[in-house]
Amino acid sequence: MIDEIRKQLLNMILTADRANADKLLEDFGEKHGYNNAVIQILDPVLEQIGLFWESNQGVSLAQAYVAAKISDDFMSKIAAGNDPAAETAGKKGVVVLGNIEDDFHLLGRKMVAIFLRSAGWDVRDLGNDVLAEEFVNKAVETGARFIGVSAMMYSTAINIKKVREELDRRGLSGKIKLVAGGAVFRLRPELLSEVGGDATAANAIIASGVFDGLLKEMNETEAPHE
Amino acid sequence: MNSLERVMSAVSGKPSDRRAVLLTLSLYGAKLTGCPLYEFYNDASKYADGQLAVKEIFGTDVLLTPFVLTSIAEAFGSEVKYFSQSPPNMVKPAALSFADFMKIDMSAVAEHPRIGYLHEAAEKIAAARGKDTAVAAVFLSPVDLAPLAMGIEAWLETILFDEAGAKKIIEAMNEFFIKTVNGFFERGAHLAALPAAFCNPMIVTKRIVNEIALPSMKEAFAQLKGPVVIHHVGAPMLEFIDSLNELPNVIGFVVDQTDGLGKSRDKIGASKVLLGNIDGPTLNKRTPEQIRARCMSILNGCRADPHFILASSGADIAFSTPAENIRAIVEAAEEFGEGI
């Protein structure tokens, strides 16, 4: 039964049937709990779409956008309804997010913010055209261990290097991880090391998995040896 | 043989003295003339001076009208930000929804001074060099114009969830597109170079591609008074390039550096012009020797292809690219010679 519902949701997302996808999640949430709707239905379907997208199996930006809207619709309902599922929101920690200096291509960043929030991250979205210093200041102020920087074009993506330089200058590299993303990183894989990024995500949907992985890695490194 | 003859030889598949070279040196003209970018992108004479300097210094075979898509955005009423070393970016779209868009007076957009700037630049470049050098008018495919008025998100929202609204917008855009692109031809441009992203199944769904984008492009392109070259817009186009092949007036494609010229040729057939395969935005990271070797390898690979033009793919060649690196490309073409 669960598999069938997941299949239905997947198909609704891929055909941009937002209204029925919203209804499917709402119905499941009412019957089985909203937390279960996220864990058993929404998350596995998003993961599948993310993998399809990553492996070029016919998922478009538009379909990923539909997935983001449906996630946002559902998480907003949960938040508004004071459902227990909302209690997990932001529990994983703070991610400071923004488009790098001179970059105004906000769509990818907004989609990443939606998927991170859905996955339990507390996202502080600084918007477009954010200076390196502002990213680091906000991370220090909020105790964030992650900075996520987005850029769409090569000419602006190279400005992300300034965030790495700012982290180095303040001795924060290693303590605060720098995740760089945007279409250009997928098309030019060498760019991540050029800008000094710790990680990137092939697409917005799987971004939360990248942050989860880094968090796990950091926690393991910091854990006292037995 | 002059540049125009060289380009026309590639179009018709006839031999030439050397391969034609098209480099995206729109921005670079400002570096050559020392013109501040705001002036460069607002004063057609200053822009044209930049292209004439490109011709003088590098001897490329195709000159470009301003590759400044934000100029179109400004005509819609969107806000843009200028930079000192790269083209402007759109900061705030004029419309945030279909309802907002319908308030835009499209006839005023077509007559807007920012469109006038593009046309005037074409006229000046064509008047100065149009007899011996090809002039390519840079605009956008009709399905790619809406994001400059509404931003990508609102356009996606409309095209995904309000198909009737999307069709109305495309209808208005088609009219504007036809009038503006034909305006370039009337002012002496030899071809239109049109970046096209919203017909890419990596961007929109296949249904949108097949039922909205391609039919509207077909209708609009059929009414153009000159030939079209479609540009890949920074993303691979190999997977769908064949779907664009039969569009009216399309004579060629600038493919992504990752597409592969051989595979692209297989998909587009023997008679279309194939342009590439130099990665423009990273030319600043190579040495002239590396670039020359890369060009020789490309030219050798395309030796038997009469419809090939050596071209840079991707966005504008960066300000920081040394002139020697650019010169190395034309020198490679000259050294390689006839080729076919």
Side-chain angles (χ1 to χ4, degrees):
Chain A
M1 181 205 166
I2 294 285
D3 280 348
E4 185 52 36
I5 294 171
R6 284 179 191 160
K7 252 187 225 170
Q8 285 175 20
L9 181 63
L10 178 66
N11 188 47
M12 286 166 186
I13 290 173
L14 295 181
T15 56
D17 187 358
R18 183 176 173 181
N20 277 319
D22 285 348
K23 188 172 180 307
L24 181 147
L25 285 169
E26 177 75 30
D27 289 350
F28 190 93
E30 278 182 9
K31 277 186 200 161
H32 305 283
Y34 287 90
N35 209 26
N36 283 332
V38 174
I39 293 167
Q40 294 182 35
I41 307 294
L42 184 58
D43 279 352
V45 170
L46 291 180
E47 192 181 339
Q48 195 170 357
I49 293 174
L51 292 173
F52 282 165
W53 198 8
E54 189 181 10
S55 55
N56 291 326
Q57 290 184 58
V59 174
S60 63
L61 170 70
Q63 286 159 324
Y65 176 76
V66 174
K69 297 306 283 188
I70 287 163
S71 302
D72 199 29
D73 290 345
F74 193 60
M75 300 313 284
S76 300
K77 268 181 211 161
I78 290 175
N82 292 324
D83 188 272
E87 286 173 14
T88 59
K91 287 283 165 101
K92 288 182 182 171
V94 177
V95 174
V96 174
L97 200 64
N99 282 65
I100 193 60
E101 176 184 357
D102 293 348
D103 196 284
F104 294 87
H105 300 93
L106 76 174
L107 181 63
R109 185 195 83 239
K110 286 179 77 173
M111 286 168 62
V112 168
I114 289 170
F115 290 121
L116 287 180
R117 285 190 180 112
S118 301
W121 290 93
D122 176 2
V123 178
R124 309 296 173 94
D125 190 343
L126 303 186
N128 289 328
D129 191 20
V130 181
L131 298 175
E133 196 183 335
E134 294 171 325
F135 276 111
V136 179
N137 284 347
K138 182 55 84 176
V140 170
E141 179 196 319
T142 58
R145 299 165 83 187
F146 301 96
I147 294 174
V149 191
S150 176
M152 192 171 98
M153 296 169 69
Y154 182 79
S155 59
T156 52
I158 50 178
N159 286 337
I160 296 174
K161 198 173 178 180
K162 294 180 186 174
V163 181
R164 167 57 64 207
E165 288 165 356
E166 186 67 12
L167 287 169
D168 285 346
R169 194 181 67 77
R170 299 201 205 177
L172 293 170
S173 288
K175 293 172 189 159
I176 297 174
K177 295 285 185 184
L178 174 61
V179 181
V184 68
F185 285 91
R186 193 174 173 197
L187 299 167
R188 298 178 184 275
E190 74 284 0
L191 189 56
L192 181 68
S193 63
E194 196 178 331
V195 301
D198 292 305
T200 186
N203 60 63
I205 298 176
I206 63 167
S208 63
V210 170
F211 284 90
D212 289 347
L214 284 173
L215 179 63
K216 187 170 174 241
E217 202 177 281
M218 289 171 90
N219 286 341
E220 282 169 1
T221 309
E222 288 163 13
H225 296 289
E226 289 179 12
Chain B
M1 199 168 222
N2 67 32
S3 288
L4 183 57
E5 290 165 340
R6 221 169 268 135
V7 171
M8 290 309 157
S9 293
V11 173
S12 59
K14 291 177 183 161
S16 57
D17 59 339
R18 68 161 170 82
R19 292 309 179 126
V21 177
L22 186 162
L23 300 176
T24 312
L25 291 167
S26 174
L27 167 74
Y28 208 86
K31 181 175 180 177
L32 297 177
T33 59
C35 183
L37 287 188
Y38 182 83
E39 286 176 42
F40 185 71
Y41 286 127
N42 281 273
D43 182 331
S45 296
K46 289 187 173 165
Y47 179 85
D49 288 346
Q51 285 301 286
L52 301 184
V54 165
K55 179 69 190 172
E56 190 67 29
I57 293 169
F58 300 122
T60 51
D61 299 305
V62 184
L63 296 178
L64 303 175
T65 66
F67 190 1
V68 59
L69 303 177
T70 50
S71 182
I72 311 167
E74 286 177 281
F76 286 125
S78 300
E79 287 176 25
V80 307
K81 181 177 175 181
Y82 283 80
F83 302 102
S84 61
Q85 301 222 335
S86 58
N89 243 328
M90 188 170 89
V91 175
K92 191 178 168 195
L96 294 174
S97 64
F98 170 71
D100 278 355
F101 179 86
M102 294 315 282
K103 292 176 195 157
I104 296 175
D105 177 355
M106 288 300 291
S107 57
V109 173
E111 302 300 328
H112 196 279
R114 298 303 286 133
I115 303 299
Y117 157 79
L118 299 176
H119 278 156
E120 193 185 339
E123 191 165 23
K124 287 183 184 301
I125 297 164
R129 296 306 301 247
K131 285 186 181 158
D132 64 13
T133 305
V135 178
V138 181
F139 203 61
L140 265 179
S141 108
V143 287
D144 287 81
L145 288 167
L148 293 176
M150 346 174 42
I152 293 175
E153 185 176 2
W155 178 230
L156 272 181
E157 190 85 18
T158 309
I159 207 166
L160 283 165
F161 306 124
D162 178 10
E163 194 168 318
K167 283 182 174 167
K168 275 189 188 164
I169 291 173
I170 288 176
E171 197 178 314
M173 288 302 184
N174 269 11
E175 197 177 326
F176 165 58
F177 167 86
I178 294 160
K179 183 174 181 185
T180 308
V181 175
N182 280 337
F184 284 117
F185 290 129
E186 285 154 16
R187 288 164 176 83
H190 298 97
L191 60 111
L194 304 178
F198 276 79
C199 56
N200 182 343
M202 282 172 65
I203 305 292
V204 289
T205 62
K206 284 178 182 161
R207 194 186 70 76
I208 291 173
V209 171
N210 293 324
E211 294 179 20
I212 300 179
L214 291 177
S216 97
M217 289 168 82
K218 187 176 177 186
E219 187 189 333
F221 285 12
Q223 294 176 67
L224 295 181
K225 296 175 182 168
V228 166
V229 168
I230 295 180
H231 187 280
H232 68 98
V233 207
M237 66 189 312
L238 185 67
E239 292 306 315
F240 70 101
I241 196 169
D242 46 345
S243 69
L244 308 172
N245 212 22
E246 298 306 319
L247 289 173
N249 287 316
V250 170
I251 61 159
F253 299 91
V254 182
V255 297
D256 186 71
Q257 46 120 1
T258 62
D259 281 328
L261 294 171
K263 288 179 183 171
S264 300
R265 172 57 75 200
D266 289 345
K267 288 245 184 173
I268 63 174
S271 61
K272 293 275 159 69
V273 183
L274 181 61
L275 301 99
N277 197 355
I278 303 164
D279 186 22
T282 59
L283 275 175
N284 55 357
K285 300 187 187 311
R286 314 272 178 259
T287 65
E289 292 72 30
Q290 288 170 330
I291 293 166
R292 187 184 162 284
R294 169 76 181 144
C295 291
M296 284 299 184
S297 165
I298 296 166
L299 290 164
N300 265 313
C302 294
R303 181 181 287 275
D305 188 340
H307 295 283
F308 173 68
I309 291 178
L310 183 63
S312 62
S313 60
D316 244 318
I317 291 171
F319 242 52
S320 54
T321 307
E324 302 77 54
N325 291 14
I326 298 166
R327 206 173 281 120
I329 298 169
V330 181
E331 284 172 0
E334 285 169 349
E335 190 183 324
F336 189 82
E338 199 171 335
I340 303 170

